[in-house]
């Protein structure tokens, strides 16, 4: 498929002060779109000026939530080049999400190429300051104008880009996490492993409650027994107990298979750490905490890369982890992963995709 180009004659001014970028508020001059229709497949791939789209009020995504998305970043290296981190994994995961949500499969290689073309056009939007990056949001939604429950016959695939500031403007900071005991995020047989809007919609009530109690994020327990630890909703979670790194297994299907999670496991194993993926209950964490065995807890995700956990609240129990300081493994992972992403460290694992 050929990509059609319709480039803007009125590019926007780039943000003058990169320290004010924040996250997800500013968008670049162009976006990528392609359409799908049953019988016709994906067609009309185009790079067009960023702007509003028109949609029927009956578009199915607005009523029944048939939508999937991805999130990744492009980084500027110190010699001014631009590179992405494992974009092949994102498009592969997008097809896994698509299958679960009965959305048509995409051609992963074509989407990688379309993304690369879009970034080439928007290369001046990739920020320069330390720790900043260009956030990439591919997504697909159902747009058949039909108010009835069935998979849609029409979809739009889009990629939008947003320059974002360094996640930790004052260095790696431990976060406060609250164990959710009332609501659940995903259930056995549900959509937990898919990157779909629905998983976020149902997580808002718990997130809201955590914020009211002055906690930043929610740690979700399994939806069946509310006993086993799953993840933090936009991050996967790791525990360091007795020098062993433990993270919840993906086999339950209710945890999102994070690419940062997968990369962190590979880095830890390559450095000789013992890493175990298994079921781990919140009771086991509390016991290990009381026995003084928890060395570190950290989250992994594209946005923050590594988020050390300083406080964990479970009912009345408030656990202070590693003195609310950044642990050795958290720091090592942060330095290694951001080092590879920004081209400061050699790409030993073959994770970097240069945008040429
Ligand atoms: C995207 C996401 C993550 C993190 O995945 P990465 O690929 O590491 O960015 C974790 N949990 C959920 C629910 C997510 O949507």
């Amino acid at each position: 498929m050929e990509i059609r180009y319709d480039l803007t004659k009125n590019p926007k001014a780039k943000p003058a002060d990169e320290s004010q970028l924040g996250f997800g508020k500013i968008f670049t001059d162009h976006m990528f779109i392609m359409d799908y229709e049953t019988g016709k497949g994906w067609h009309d791939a185009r790079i067009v000026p960023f702007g509003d789209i028109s949609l029927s009020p009956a578009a199915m995504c607005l009523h029944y939530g048939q939508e999937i998305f991805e999130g990744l970043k492009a980084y500027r290296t110190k010699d001014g080049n631009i590179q992405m981190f494992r974009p092949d994994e994102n498009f592969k995961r997008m097809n896994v999400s698509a299958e679960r949500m009965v959305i048509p499969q995409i051609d992963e290689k074509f989407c990688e190429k379309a993304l690369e073309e879009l970034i080439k056009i928007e290369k001046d939007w990739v920020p320069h300051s330390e720790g900043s990056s260009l956030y990439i949001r591919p997504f697909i939604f159902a747009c058949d104008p039909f108010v009835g429950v069935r998979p849609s016959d029409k979809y739009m695939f889009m990629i939008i880009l947003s320059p974002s500031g360094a996640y930790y403007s004052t260095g790696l900071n431990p976060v406060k996490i609250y164990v959710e005991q009332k609501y659940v995020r995903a259930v056995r047989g549900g959509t937990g492993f898919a990157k779909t809007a629905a998983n976020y919609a149902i997580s808002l009530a718990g997130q809201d409650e955590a914020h009211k109690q002055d906690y930043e994020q929610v740690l979700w327990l399994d939806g069946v027994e509310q006993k086993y630890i799953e993840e933090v909703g936009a991050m996967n979670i790791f525990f360091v107990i007795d020098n062993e790194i433990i993270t919840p297994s993906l086999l339950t299907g209710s945890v999102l298979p994070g690419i940062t999670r997968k990369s962190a496991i590979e880095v830890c194993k390559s450095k000789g750490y013992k890493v175990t993926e298994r079921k781990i209950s919140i009771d086991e964490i509390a016991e290990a905490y009381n026995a003084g065995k928890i060395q570190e807890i950290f989250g992994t995700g594209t946005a923050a890369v590594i988020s050390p956990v300083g406080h964990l609240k479970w009912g009345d129990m408030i656990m202070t982890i590693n003195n609310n300081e950044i642990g050795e493994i958290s720091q090592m992972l942060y330095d290694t992963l951001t080092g590879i992403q920004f081209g400061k460290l050699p790409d030993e694992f073959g994770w970097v995709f240069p945008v040429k």
Side-chain angles (χ1 to χ4, degrees), residues 133-342:
S133 57
L134 185 70
Y135 185 74
I136 302 164
R137 167 54 57 86
F139 56 109
I140 304 177
F141 56 93
C143 49
D144 219 355
F146 175 62
V147 183
V149 181
R150 59 153 171 80
S152 178
D153 280 322
K154 291 188 178 140
Y155 298 86
M156 277 175 102
F157 172 105
M158 302 183 70
I159 305 175
I160 56 174
L161 306 174
S162 174
S164 359
Y167 195 88
Y168 296 108
S169 44
T170 55
L172 209 54
N173 268 325
V175 292
K176 289 174 72 181
I177 287 189
Y178 159 102
V179 180
E180 177 56 55
Q181 292 181 288
K182 181 176 169 194
Y183 304 109
V184 296
R185 188 194 85 98
V187 293
R188 196 186 291 157
T191 56
F193 67 94
K195 220 167 165 76
T196 180
N199 291 335
Y200 280 79
I202 69 166
S203 74
L204 295 174
Q207 182 80 28
D208 209 40
E209 184 56 35
H211 285 168
K212 281 188 192 133
Q213 297 193 28
D214 201 25
Y215 280 77
E216 286 148 271
Q217 303 204 38
V218 174
L219 180 64
W220 296 99
L221 301 180
D222 79 275
V224 179
E225 296 175 71
Q226 288 188 263
K227 178 176 158 82
Y228 296 99
I229 292 167
E230 299 220 306
E231 60 161 298
V232 193
M235 285 196 297
N236 295 106
I237 190 98
F238 287 74
F239 302 89
V240 186
I241 305 174
D242 250 351
N243 296 319
E244 180 183 359
I245 303 170
I246 304 166
T247 191
S249 154
L250 299 178
L251 297 175
T252 57
S254 45
V255 174
L256 197 287
I259 296 161
T260 321
R261 173 190 184 276
K262 180 173 177 171
S263 308
I265 292 173
E266 286 175 61
V267 167
C268 288
K269 285 187 175 166
S270 79
K271 296 203 185 273
Y273 289 98
K274 180 171 182 211
V275 186
T276 311
E277 297 174 63
R278 66 165 166 91
K279 268 185 147 180
I280 182 161
S281 69
I282 186 67
D283 308 80
E284 183 182 341
I285 295 302
E287 260 170 51
Y289 178 78
N290 287 331
K293 287 184 181 165
I294 298 207
Q295 293 153 291
E296 292 181 44
I297 304 180
F298 57 88
T300 62
T302 294
V305 189
I306 300 295
S307 265
V309 176
H311 294 280
L312 185 65
K313 181 181 189 304
W314 178 43
D316 294 333
M317 184 176 184
I318 296 178
M319 306 176 223
T320 302
I321 312 302
N322 192 32
N323 244 339
N324 195 31
E325 284 164 17
I326 300 145
E328 196 183 301
I329 295 172
S330 307
Q331 187 72 53
M332 176 282 287
L333 280 171
Y334 183 79
D335 294 343
T336 309
L337 293 173
T338 57
I340 295 171
Q341 289 164 343
F342 285 93

Side-chain angles (χ1 to χ4, degrees), residues 102-166:
V102 202
I103 287 173
Q105 295 285 297
I106 51 164
D107 177 338
E108 294 166 27
K109 280 277 168 282
F110 174 76
C111 292
E112 259 174 52
K113 188 177 156 274
L115 171 58
E116 195 177 347
E117 290 302 310
L118 180 63
I119 293 180
K120 271 198 255 176
I121 290 169
E122 304 292 60
K123 62 181 189 311
D124 295 340
W125 281 95
V126 182
H128 293 75
S129 51
E130 178 79 24
S132 64
S133 57
L134 185 70
Y135 185 74
I136 302 164
R137 167 54 57 86
F139 56 109
I140 304 177
F141 56 93
C143 49
D144 219 355
F146 175 62
V147 183
V149 181
R150 59 153 171 80
S152 178
D153 280 322
K154 291 188 178 140
Y155 298 86
M156 277 175 102
F157 172 105
M158 302 183 70
I159 305 175
I160 56 174
L161 306 174
S162 174
S164 359

